[in-house]
């Protein structure tokens, strides 16, 4: 089974940057997309960005377009989320996840393997 480990979270001031990493034990051929999600206290988990494992196409939530960039390093089995111009509304626990069918890539229901999360706090 794939295991995911997120890292890179922390506390930053408004306008700051962080880069999150999602390291996978393996990205098997059955995994078609890797997504980043976030969940703030009292709110539903929401999709932030997704990248296909094949062609590398990306999708972003409107709330992060132009500020966040998802990328991958296949040699390291790692997907990154570069977050710039951070705002207090970006404060949440951030999770990465892998999916197979990937029809609606920003929907948590499309993903079946999840990491433990990394906290991002913007003040």
């Amino acid at each position: 089974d794939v295991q995911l480990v997120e890292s890179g979270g922390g506390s930053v001031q408004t306008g700051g940057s962080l880069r999150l990493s999602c390291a996978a034990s393996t990205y098997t051929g059955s995994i078609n997309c890797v997504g980043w999600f976030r969940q703030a206290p009292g709110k539903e988990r929401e999709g932030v960005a997704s990248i296909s494992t094949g062609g590398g196409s990306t999708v972003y939530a409107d709330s992060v377009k132009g500020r966040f960039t998802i990328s991958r390093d296949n040699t390291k089995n790692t997907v990154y989320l570069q977050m710039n111009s951070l705002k207090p509304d970006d404060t949440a626990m951030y999770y990465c996840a892998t999916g197979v069918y990937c029809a609606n890539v920003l929907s948590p229901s499309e993903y079946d393997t999840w990491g433990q999360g990394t906290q991002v706090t913007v003040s």
Side-chain angles (χ1 to χ4, degrees):
D1 291 344
V2 175
Q3 293 183 334
L4 304 174
V5 178
E6 301 99 331
S7 61
S11 297
V12 295
Q13 293 185 337
T14 299
S17 298
L18 285 172
R19 188 176 81 156
L20 306 184
S21 298
C22 174
S25 54
T26 181
Y27 282 124
T28 69
S30 62
I31 294 173
N32 290 312
C33 57
V34 180
W36 280 100
F37 297 80
R38 64 187 182 187
Q39 188 166 19
K43 295 187 177 181
E44 293 186 354
R45 189 168 298 189
E46 64 172 347
V48 175
S50 180
I51 188 167
S52 68
T53 57
S57 60
T58 58
V59 177
Y60 295 93
D62 288 343
S63 58
V64 306
K65 281 181 182 177
R67 300 189 298 123
F68 291 12
T69 303
I70 189 171
S71 62
R72 61 182 182 167
D73 185 337
N74 291 338
T75 64
K76 297 180 179 180
N77 284 345
T78 301
V79 170
Y80 303 98
L81 184 68
Q82 178 67 44
M83 306 187 296
N84 299 327
S85 302
L86 283 162
K87 308 173 182 179
D89 284 349
D90 296 318
T91 295
M93 185 70 79
Y94 282 71
Y95 301 89
C96 68
T98 60
V100 174
Y101 297 105
C102 307
N104 182 1
V105 294
L106 293 182
S107 171
S109 64
E110 294 286 338
Y111 295 79
D112 43 40
T113 299
W114 293 80
Q116 84 290 348
T118 185
Q119 178 68 38
V120 171
T121 303
V122 185
S123 60

